[in-house]
C-alpha cells in the first residue's frame, strides 16, 4: 500500500496549486466549502490519480517529477489510480456541476495522454496542448467554477486573460518536468519537448 501512495506524489501535486488559486482569486476569492472541496478534489485526487495512472504505463525507474527513485510499479497501481480519481469525482459532485464537468474533462485528457492506445504524451505538440489546457486553462476554469458556481462569467476579460496566463505558465514549466526522463521517454518512443 505504501508504494501505491508514493506513486501519487502528493507533495509534487501541490506545485500546481498556484494555478487553481489564480482562478479562485480572479473569480472573486472568498473561502467556502465548495472552494475547499474543489481544491482537495483537484490536488489530492485528480492530479495524484492521473499521475499514478501515467506511472502505471510509463514504468519509470529513474527520476520523475517529485521522486528521485520511484518504487516499482505493481499491477494494483492501475485500479488504485482509477479509484483515487473516482473518489475525487464524487467529491467534485459536491462542489457543483460546472466544476464536476471540468474534473471529468481532465480525467479524459489524462487518460488520452497516458494510455498506450492513444498516448498523446508521445506527440510533442499534442502533449503540450493537452498539458497546457488541462493543468493550465482547465484548472483555472475549475477554480472559477468552484468559486462562482458557474463558468459563463469566465468569458470576461479577466477570466480569458487569466486562463491564458495559466496556460502559458504551465507551458513554460512543463518541459522542465521532463528533463529527468529524457532517456526513458526516448526509449519508449515518446517525442516530448525535452526529447525533441
Amino acid at each position: 500500500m505504501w508504494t501505491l501512495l508514493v506513486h501519487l506524489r502528493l507533495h509534487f501535486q501541490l506545485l500546481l496549486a498556484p494555478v487553481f488559486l489564480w482562478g479562485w482569486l480572479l473569480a472573486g476569492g472568498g473561502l467556502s466549502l465548495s472552494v475547499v472541496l474543489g481544491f482537495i478534489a483537484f490536488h489530492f485526487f485528480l492530479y495524484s490519480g492521473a499521475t499514478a495512472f501515467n506511472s502505471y504505463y510509463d514504468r519509470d525507474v529513474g527520476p520523475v517529477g517529485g521522486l528521485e527513485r520511484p518504487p516499482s510499479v505493481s499491477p494494483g497501481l492501475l485500479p488504485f489510480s482509477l479509484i483515487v480519481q473516482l473518489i475525487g469525482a464524487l467529491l467534485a459532485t459536491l462542489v457543483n456541476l460546472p466544476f464536476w464537468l471540468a474534473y471529468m474533462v481532465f480525467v479524459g485528457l489524462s487518460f488520452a495522454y497516458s494510455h498506450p492506445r492513444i498516448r498523446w504524451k508521445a506527440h510533442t505538440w499534442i502533449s503540450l496542448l493537452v498539458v497546457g489546457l488541462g493543468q493550465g486553462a482547465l484548472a483555472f476554469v475549475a477554480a472559477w467554477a468552484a468559486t462562482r458556481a458557474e463558468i459563463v462569467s469566465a468569458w470576461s476579460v479577466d477570466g480569458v486573460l487569466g486562463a491564458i496566463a495559466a496556460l502559458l505558465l504551465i507551458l513554460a514549466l512543463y518541459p522542465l518536468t521532463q528533463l529527468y526522463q529524457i532517456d526513458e521517454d526516448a526509449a519508449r518512443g515518446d517525442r516530448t519537448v525535452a526529447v525533441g
Side-chain angles (χ1 to χ4, degrees):
M1 188 63 180
W2 177 250
T3 60
L4 296 177
L5 291 172
V6 170
H7 275 293
L8 295 177
R9 296 187 247 164
L10 290 170
H11 62 291
F12 189 69
Q13 311 313 331
L14 292 176
L15 294 175
L16 294 169
V19 174
F20 191 93
L21 295 174
W22 175 240
W24 164 77
L25 180 67
L26 289 186
L31 192 58
S32 68
L33 181 58
S34 292
V35 169
V36 172
L37 287 176
F39 184 90
I40 291 169
F42 247 68
H43 293 83
F44 293 97
F45 293 96
L46 179 58
Y47 289 152
S48 61
T51 297
F53 184 83
N54 185 67
S55 292
Y56 176 79
Y57 290 108
D58 281 5
R59 299 181 184 271
D60 290 308
V61 293
V64 293
L67 293 176
E68 186 176 349
R69 281 178 246 105
S72 61
V73 171
S74 69
L77 185 59
L78 180 60
F80 178 72
S81 71
L82 296 173
I83 289 168
V84 169
Q85 291 177 75
L86 177 62
I87 292 168
L90 294 173
L91 277 178
T93 64
L94 300 176
V95 177
N96 56 55
L97 180 60
F99 180 86
W100 180 82
L101 289 172
Y103 186 101
M104 296 310 294
V105 168
F106 192 105
V107 168
L109 288 174
S110 68
F111 181 88
Y113 179 84
S114 301
H115 196 277
R117 288 189 188 246
I118 304 169
R119 193 71 176 171
W120 284 346
K121 181 180 181 177
H123 307 283
T124 308
W125 296 109
I126 295 173
S127 67
L128 275 172
L129 181 64
V130 167
V131 171
L133 287 175
Q135 293 180 345
L138 194 57
F140 176 90
V141 168
W144 192 285
T147 307
R148 292 201 177 181
E150 52 84 21
I151 55 172
V152 174
S153 62
W155 287 101
S156 65
V157 173
D158 286 348
V160 170
L161 291 178
I164 291 170
L167 183 142
L168 293 175
L169 172 68
I170 293 300
L171 288 180
L173 297 174
Y174 175 57
L176 298 175
T177 67
Q178 300 172 331
L179 291 178
Y180 320 100
Q181 301 171 270
I182 292 174
D183 293 337
E184 291 188 66
D185 285 340
R188 273 191 302 271
D190 292 345
R191 294 184 311 274
T192 63
V193 175
V195 169

